[in-house]
Amino acid sequence: MKTLVIVAHPQLANSSTESFLKAAADNENNVMWHELKTPFDISQEQELLKSATRIIFQFPLYWYSAPAILKQWLDEVWNSQLTSSYLLKGRELGIVTTVAHSASAFQPGASQGYTIAEILRPYQALAHAMEMKYLPPLPIYQFAQQSEEERQLLFIHYQQYLTLDKFLHFSDQTQWFIDHLNVKIAQESDLLQQAKLEQLLALLQDQQEELDDLHTSIGWLREKEDD
Amino acid sequence: MKTLVIVAHPQLANSSTESFLKAAADNENNVMWHELKTPFDISQEQELLKSATRIIFQFPLYWYSAPAILKQWLDEVWNSQLTSSYLLKGRELGIVTTVAHSASAFQPGASQGYTIAEILRPYQALAHAMEMKYLPPLPIYQFAQQSEEERQLLFIHYQQYLTLDKFLHFSDQTQWFIDHLNVKIAQESDLLQQAKLEQLLALLQDQQEELDDLHTSIGWLREKEDD
């Protein structure tokens, strides 16, 4: 899988959120980080799109939509050459959007009145028209107010959003941690640290096996119920 | 009532729809036709907004949203100076959007998959945030394929959308026709034509009176039912 992150931000250099996300993305293989700048080289942009299997639109939510530069890029780059032959069919479209309000504000009766799912509907409609698979969006609420622990979780969750095949499945998430731990162990030069990481790895693998057993048991119980 | 039509179209000169709508708008008093051009004079744009009680966003629907220039205008002009003091509170926001697909394509299971109401939700959320009144949008489907009769209806419907206080009420629509006929009669120099228009006016007024009588009767019947 190859992931293309289309970053649309009018003041990228000043955005602490974007530099945080960039650090997370840089850690991953098969992720292309692409910051939008005008004027666009249309055929080059189209080549980039064609090289990716997962395409992420990443932007701060301004007035319930992406900044103008993303729309300009869509209006210019997603022309009939790209779209008429359904070149993007079957690929995935994900949305990572940073939001100034709290999650609870986005509901009927609250200050923002509509859910994030509703507000992002035009992108879902775009995915639908292209026969792309629309991924559940990843909204990042009030990054500035997040604690260190919340940020660590976000760091991992964002990496999984970019790279995990099925990032909503728990067992895939565990496998993702196991893979990342294996890489970290190989890179670690301090033997004591390495031993600690190996202990953690063993623990995760044990838990994974136990979970697999439980799944098998539950499946067996369900089959009996159906009898 | 003062209406401000914000026209966002990247190729305005080539748009037969926009010139058709402009002819309809030009016929009306208290309608300001404002074509967006970059760079924006932000304070001048804000003064325009403050002078209007009904604000219309008018644009062709590209990729389920307005062309980039409208978003750029929102991002730049709707800054905290305009929005923090709720200067637009209580004013109306209407959407006139020209659409390449047919009306029936915009529903679950059809080619576009989502309704126009859903696709325009970000503008509704904007109106909600500003405490503006969101008007039912006026989508114009496949203008190029419309018959002469459909266009005549659209011409009137669009004028009513810009100027009628309650454009969904039938009795207000009749009054609107009576007012417009009166103006036409005063302007008409051909006496024969003038007599014909006066006949039409008398007919409309008769019908309006008959309708008023019917409404009274229905109201009276309903009251009796409630007894």
Side-chain angles (χ1 to χ4, degrees):
Chain A
M1 192 175 77
K2 276 213 160 191
T3 301
L4 174 65
V5 186
I6 302 289
V7 185
H9 199 301
Q11 284 160 321
L12 203 53
N14 300 328
S15 167
S16 60
T17 326
E18 292 301 335
S19 55
F20 174 88
L21 297 176
K22 189 170 190 310
D26 283 349
N27 248 340
E28 297 296 313
N29 298 322
N30 295 318
V31 171
M32 297 173 279
W33 181 270
H34 181 55
E35 300 172 355
L36 293 187
K37 281 184 199 77
T38 54
F40 306 121
D41 178 332
I42 292 178
S43 61
Q44 198 182 308
E45 297 287 326
Q46 291 179 342
E47 286 311 311
L48 258 178
L49 282 167
K50 285 187 234 166
S51 73
T53 47
R54 178 172 293 177
I55 295 159
I56 309 285
F57 293 171
Q58 182 168 306
F59 54 83
L61 196 69
Y62 293 162
W63 293 133
Y64 310 102
S65 186
I69 194 170
L70 186 78
K71 190 67 211 307
Q72 194 185 338
W73 176 82
L74 274 173
D75 290 350
E76 292 181 22
V77 175
W78 291 51
N79 61 17
S80 59
Q81 265 177 305
L82 181 75
T83 61
S84 64
S85 43
Y86 287 91
L87 286 169
L88 301 176
K89 181 174 171 168
R91 298 171 202 233
E92 297 172 313
L93 179 64
I95 311 281
V96 176
T97 184
T98 51
V99 182
H101 296 88
S102 68
S104 62
F106 290 91
Q107 53 179 322
S111 73
Q112 299 307 296
Y114 300 93
T115 64
I116 284 288
E118 283 177 283
I119 286 163
L120 298 176
R121 200 76 85 210
Y123 305 107
Q124 190 175 3
L126 176 69
H128 176 85
M130 296 293 106
E131 302 190 15
M132 295 172 81
K133 191 184 163 206
Y134 187 64
L135 301 179
L138 174 61
I140 301 171
Y141 300 100
Q142 299 185 302
F143 179 76
Q145 279 100 302
Q146 284 190 9
S147 67
E148 194 47 47
E149 204 187 332
E150 285 173 314
R151 288 190 184 187
Q152 280 171 10
L153 277 174
L154 171 62
F155 196 89
I156 289 164
H157 194 176
Y158 176 71
Q159 288 184 329
Q160 294 183 335
Y161 194 78
L162 300 188
T163 61
L164 246 189
D165 208 26
K166 292 179 188 137
F167 54 88
L168 291 177
H169 288 222
F170 183 77
S171 63
D172 289 304
Q173 287 186 345
T174 312
Q175 191 54 51
W176 184 90
F177 276 110
I178 291 170
D179 293 345
H180 275 64
L181 264 178
N182 271 318
V183 171
K184 238 186 156 46
I185 288 165
Q187 288 170 344
E188 185 60 65
S189 53
D190 183 333
L191 286 181
L192 188 65
Q193 282 296 328
Q194 206 180 39
K196 276 189 193 170
L197 290 172
E198 269 166 0
Q199 264 185 323
L200 189 60
L201 179 63
L203 192 70
L204 260 181
Q205 280 168 330
D206 278 354
Q207 283 183 346
Q208 183 63 20
E209 277 163 27
E210 211 170 305
L211 272 167
D212 288 344
D213 287 349
L214 278 169
H215 271 291
T216 312
S217 310
I218 288 170
W220 181 77
L221 283 169
R222 283 215 182 114
E223 260 174 45
K224 284 200 70 173
E225 269 176 14
D226 289 344
D227 282 347
Chain B
M1 194 175 74
K2 275 213 160 190
T3 301
L4 173 65
V5 187
I6 302 289
V7 185
H9 199 301
Q11 284 160 322
L12 204 53
N14 301 328
S15 166
S16 60
T17 326
E18 292 301 336
S19 55
F20 174 87
L21 296 177
K22 189 171 191 311
D26 283 349
N27 248 340
E28 297 297 313
N29 297 322
N30 295 319
V31 172
M32 297 172 279
W33 180 270
H34 181 54
E35 300 172 356
L36 293 187
K37 281 184 199 77
T38 53
F40 305 121
D41 179 332
I42 293 179
S43 61
Q44 200 181 307
E45 297 287 324
Q46 291 180 341
E47 285 312 311
L48 259 178
L49 282 167
K50 285 189 236 167
S51 72
T53 47
R54 178 171 293 176
I55 295 159
I56 309 286
F57 292 171
Q58 182 168 304
F59 54 84
L61 196 69
Y62 293 161
W63 293 133
Y64 310 102
S65 186
I69 194 170
L70 186 76
K71 191 66 211 307
Q72 193 183 339
W73 176 82
L74 274 173
D75 290 350
E76 292 181 20
V77 175
W78 291 50
N79 61 17
S80 58
Q81 266 177 308
L82 182 75
T83 61
S84 64
S85 44
Y86 287 91
L87 285 169
L88 301 176
K89 181 176 172 168
R91 298 171 202 232
E92 296 172 314
L93 179 64
I95 310 282
V96 176
T97 184
T98 52
V99 182
H101 296 88
S102 69
S104 61
F106 290 91
Q107 53 181 320
S111 72
Q112 299 306 297
Y114 300 92
T115 64
I116 284 287
E118 282 176 284
I119 287 164
L120 298 177
R121 200 76 85 208
Y123 304 108
Q124 191 175 3
L126 178 68
H128 176 85
M130 295 293 105
E131 302 191 15
M132 296 172 79
K133 192 186 161 200
Y134 187 63
L135 301 178
L138 174 61
I140 301 171
Y141 300 100
Q142 299 185 302
F143 179 77
Q145 281 100 301
Q146 285 190 9
S147 68
E148 194 47 47
E149 205 187 333
E150 285 174 314
R151 289 190 182 187
Q152 279 171 10
L153 278 173
L154 171 63
F155 196 88
I156 289 164
H157 194 175
Y158 176 70
Q159 288 184 329
Q160 294 182 336
Y161 193 78
L162 299 188
T163 60
L164 246 189
D165 207 26
K166 293 179 188 133
F167 54 89
L168 291 177
H169 288 220
F170 183 77
S171 64
D172 288 305
Q173 287 186 345
T174 312
Q175 190 55 50
W176 185 90
F177 276 111
I178 290 170
D179 293 345
H180 274 63
L181 263 179
N182 270 319
V183 172
K184 239 188 154 48
I185 288 166
Q187 288 170 343
E188 184 59 65
S189 52
D190 183 333
L191 286 180
L192 189 64
Q193 282 296 328
Q194 205 178 41
K196 276 188 190 169
L197 289 172
E198 270 167 357
Q199 265 186 323
L200 189 59
L201 179 64
L203 193 70
L204 259 181
Q205 281 168 329
D206 278 356
Q207 284 184 345
Q208 182 63 18
E209 277 165 27
E210 212 171 306
L211 273 168
D212 288 345
D213 287 350
L214 278 169
H215 271 290
T216 311
S217 308
I218 289 171
W220 182 77
L221 283 168
R222 285 216 180 114
E223 262 174 45
K224 283 201 71 173
E225 270 175 13
D226 290 343
D227 283 345

